[in-house]
Amino acid sequence: MPRNAKHRRPRTGSLARRLVAVGTGGAALAIPLVTAATAQAAPATVEHVRAAKAAEAPAATPKTAATTYVVVEGDSLSKIAQAHSVSGGWQKLYEDNRSAVGANPSLVHPGLKLTVNGKKAAAPATTATETSTKTSTESAGTGSVEPAVAKTYTDNLDGWIREALDVMAQHGIPGSYEGIHRNIMRESSGDPNAINNWDINAQNGVPSKGLLQVIAPTFQAYHVPGTAMDAYDPVANITAACNYAADRYGSIDNVNGPY
């Protein structure tokens, strides 16, 4: 190397100098800028999505559980419906339990299990044997079905009450054998021709008549179609009185005195 040669500082390009400046003096500015530009939100997990949906979903409305009630002596659909506050009354209770009660809503026997405030009970399914027998019977001979034999009743208090109950069932009028019999014995002792000629009704010209001592205006207002228009007729008298009692007291079963 020549003697007069001088050590020279290597020249640094302007671009390199700029990079150094950014890398040293501008470090505090460069890092947050890069971080802000590249940062991303944490991805939502499946658990987060499910939790959000669960929070937004409305709370389920609790359902009223059905109650099973066992009929006891002296019960009627009207009494049970009132005791359990059945919406729709005894008619709704009967509709829900028609398959268990049968064709006559007035005949509920002790030990019978009823569903209260529940879904309508399903009618019993027809078995394959019943279907086959019915088809075979109808297809035999001319295929005609023999008419049902008309039901008969004895011409006494027992028969009158039973016939009245069947008529009441056709018209949805509540009442039991016991309730009807109890009130008849109090009102007329079972005499269909009984008449009261001394009370206030008699003084007003409308004496009480028949088994359940019904006055003429009440008999006419609550007469049940299909029965005689005669207040002395046992079945007509019973059904009209029970129709009136159902309207005013819920059932003849609820009557335990003058009504």
Side-chain angles (χ1 to χ4, degrees), residues 25 35 38 42 55 64 79 103 106 111 113 132 141 174 204 210 228 234:
T35 302
T38 58
T64 302
K79 282 184 179 180
S106 301
K113 294 182 180 180
S132 177
N204 291 332

Side-chain angles (χ1 to χ4, degrees), residues 35-94:
T35 302
T38 58
Q40 295 181 359
T45 64
V46 174
E47 288 76 9
H48 291 162
V49 174
R50 288 177 179 173
K53 289 185 177 179
E56 295 176 357
T61 303
K63 297 182 179 179
T64 302
T67 301
T68 299
Y69 178 82
V70 180
V71 176
V72 298
E73 187 69 33
D75 264 344
S76 67
L77 293 183
S78 178
K79 282 184 179 180
I80 299 169
Q82 289 181 352
H84 291 268
S85 301
V86 176
S87 178
W90 71 265
Q91 294 94 335
K92 180 63 168 62
L93 182 62
Y94 175 54

Side-chain angles (χ1 to χ4, degrees), residues 8 20 28-29 34 47 59 84 94 116 118 128 135 142 162 178-179 189 208 218 234 238 258:
R8 295 185 179 179
V20 171
L29 296 177
V34 172
E47 288 76 9
H84 291 268
Y94 175 54
V116 181
T135 304
T142 59
R162 294 187 184 281
E178 184 278 331
S189 299
S208 304
T218 300
I238 293 172

Side-chain angles (χ1 to χ4, degrees), residues 183-195 210-213:
N183 282 284
I184 286 177
M185 298 311 293
R186 185 190 66 252
E187 294 292 335
S188 67
S189 299
D191 180 8
N193 296 311
I195 184 171
L211 290 173
L212 284 168
Q213 292 292 282

